[in-house]
Amino acid sequence: LGPLDLARSATKTKRVEWPMYDALKEYVKTLHNPNQEPYMSNFNLTESCQLRTAMCCFSKKRQGGSMQKNAKVCAHDLRDSRRSSHVNRGYGFIEGDSTGDWDKNPGTPSYDYRGNLLSEISYGSLLDLGATTNYPLGAPMCGCIEKMPVVTKANCKQVAVIGEKYKLEYDPSTQKYQITQTGGTITINDCPNHDLLSAYGGTADEKKELEKHLVPGGSCQDTTKAFMNDRVFTPGVDPLYDDTQDIVFKNHNWKRVAGQGMDYVPHKFDKAARNSEFIRQFNAAPYPIVFRKCRSCLPSHQYIYYRRKTLMPEGFDFLDIFLSNWNSAHNLLGVDFDLYSDLDAAIKGSGGEWTYCDYDSAGIGFPKNCGPDDAVYCQWNSHTRNRICDWAFNGGSHAFYVMCQDDKCQV
């Protein structure tokens, strides 16, 4: 028998404690809340588990087998499981679950042996079904149902015990009594109809609350739509955030050379080497164009095309003028380069050229306050300043690209 098998056999005769995290004991008791137990974040009986239900959602099997699916995962609010996913806010949507619920009253088998029930739906599913891996929504694999995704259905298990026996002993060295369980047969079986919603034993209000996590009818469509509407989202694809739907990337091949925010690009710290590589890629491009896509900018600055008109002098730090120091030396609008909002115009080199630019503020990169016909502030980026403009729309999330002819260069 392996360790999990041995542990499982013990759960058939001994009570299993609800999961706690020893490393949290000092923090919880002294700094946070002296009356709170150091529960693991997924199983915190103080801030969740009011519905007395724990759920496990599995998406894969060990050794590459396919899961026998019993439900659809509709949506998940990452705020509900932020301590396990380490993502404070966010949402996920997807177009085998198993649960266990327990009684609210201490002293009943369902309440006292809830740890056994959780052990069975988690480790038991691993041993019997090979079930592993949480869904890719930032939700934990197992947790109180309030921490878990909204699903269409959940299988259910219930716990029962007969023949409980305990021994009470006094320890003179500690001057405390100790209670040890010496007998009992614990059984865990499937709920009737293998369905939590129909087997749930809570109040009408609790069952109504449970239906927010379990969707009757087996369809995610209405639930997902309501989930999105509550958060003021509309379905669809915005090319600004999905490059696969962006016509700029469909019609041409681009090499991403630098970026920050949502488009961060890992890079070497050798500035001279990076600049040399950037110039090499630029010179190899079919058109002398540098393209910046800025997802966090105002509409006027989300797509900007820099077309070079003059040769660069020896030793020119071409990359730095884009990243952090938008300088005027060998870089004047209408003389050394033109700016465009439209790629076709940039390729032709005529039509719709921008008419305003300013320069020469240390630490402020492309395009400073340049605009189509007047100054537009706070749309610049910087790879050396810790802070950029505090405007709602700024250059924080951006990437720079050069065009190339080889399909392999696209990033």
Side-chain angles (χ1 to χ4, degrees), residues 20-137:
M20 294 191 185
Y21 189 33
D22 286 342
L24 280 175
K25 285 184 178 179
E26 183 177 352
Y27 168 74
V28 168
K29 295 296 185 184
T30 61
L31 302 176
H32 188 59
N33 183 350
N35 299 317
Q36 181 178 323
E37 296 293 340
Y39 296 118
M40 296 172 65
S41 61
N42 301 347
F43 307 99
N44 195 323
L45 297 180
T46 303
E47 65 178 31
S48 62
C49 273
Q50 277 73 40
L51 295 174
R52 305 178 309 285
T53 303
M55 173 186 282
C56 292
C57 289
F58 305 105
S59 63
K60 293 182 181 179
K61 290 185 69 173
R62 288 190 295 182
Q63 300 175 345
S66 60
M67 287 289 296
Q68 183 178 356
K69 299 179 181 179
N70 70 318
K72 294 180 181 178
V73 176
C74 302
H76 181 56
D77 188 336
L78 272 68
R79 182 77 175 168
D80 293 337
S81 58
R82 61 190 182 278
R83 290 190 180 90
S84 57
S85 66
H86 305 289
V87 177
N88 192 42
R89 295 179 186 274
Y91 312 100
F93 308 95
I94 291 186
E95 267 281 89
D97 310 283
S98 185
T99 60
D101 69 303
W102 57 87
D103 195 279
K104 67 175 67 176
N105 298 313
T108 60
S110 178
Y111 182 95
D112 293 344
Y113 289 85
R114 56 192 173 180
N116 299 65
L117 192 59
L118 177 60
S119 176
E120 180 62 22
I121 66 172
S122 55
Y123 292 125
S125 296
L126 172 63
L127 292 171
D128 292 342
L129 305 174
T132 64
T133 311
N134 62 317
Y135 273 86
L137 289 178

Side-chain angles (χ1 to χ4, degrees), residues 211-259:
E211 289 179 352
K212 295 180 180 179
H213 305 277
L214 296 170
V215 183
S219 173
C220 285
Q221 184 174 357
D222 292 340
T223 298
T224 301
K225 184 177 180 180
F227 186 96
M228 296 176 71
N229 285 342
D230 289 345
R231 293 157 178 81
V232 201
F233 286 123
T234 57
V237 175
D238 187 342
L240 183 64
Y241 296 99
D242 186 353
D243 289 346
T244 64
Q245 302 300 316
D246 195 327
I247 193 171
V248 173
F249 295 95
K250 285 185 175 182
N251 293 344
H252 300 279
N253 296 319
W254 296 92
K255 172 70 176 180
R256 188 169 62 191
V257 294

Side-chain angles (χ1 to χ4, degrees), residues 143-285:
C144 297
I145 199 167
E146 293 90 341
K147 304 281 188 182
M148 301 298 290
V150 179
V151 300
T152 56
K153 183 182 183 295
N155 290 346
C156 175
K157 292 185 180 293
Q158 295 174 326
V159 62
V161 60
I162 57 173
E164 281 183 290
K165 294 181 180 179
Y166 295 89
K167 179 172 64 175
L168 177 65
E169 294 180 303
Y170 179 74
D171 186 346
S173 63
T174 61
Q175 297 184 338
K176 292 182 179 180
Y177 286 95
Q178 182 175 353
I179 300 175
T180 306
Q181 186 174 4
T182 58
T185 301
I186 303 161
T187 59
I188 297 175
N189 299 307
D190 291 329
C191 298
N193 301 321
H194 302 277
D195 179 58
L196 171 65
L197 201 56
S198 61
Y200 185 68
T203 65
D205 287 341
E206 288 173 334
K207 192 166 185 177
K208 186 176 181 180
E209 188 67 24
L210 183 66
E211 289 179 352
K212 295 180 180 179
H213 305 277
L214 296 170
V215 183
S219 173
C220 285
Q221 184 174 357
D222 292 340
T223 298
T224 301
K225 184 177 180 180
F227 186 96
M228 296 176 71
N229 285 342
D230 289 345
R231 293 157 178 81
V232 201
F233 286 123
T234 57
V237 175
D238 187 342
L240 183 64
Y241 296 99
D242 186 353
D243 289 346
T244 64
Q245 302 300 316
D246 195 327
I247 193 171
V248 173
F249 295 95
K250 285 185 175 182
N251 293 344
H252 300 279
N253 296 319
W254 296 92
K255 172 70 176 180
R256 188 169 62 191
V257 294
Q260 283 185 321
M262 289 182 279
D263 290 295
Y264 173 74
V265 177
H267 58 81
K268 299 177 181 178
F269 289 95
D270 187 333
K271 288 184 61 179
R274 288 185 70 197
N275 183 58
S276 296
E277 176 63 16
F278 178 52
I279 292 175
R280 184 194 67 78
Q281 293 169 342
F282 178 80
N283 289 335

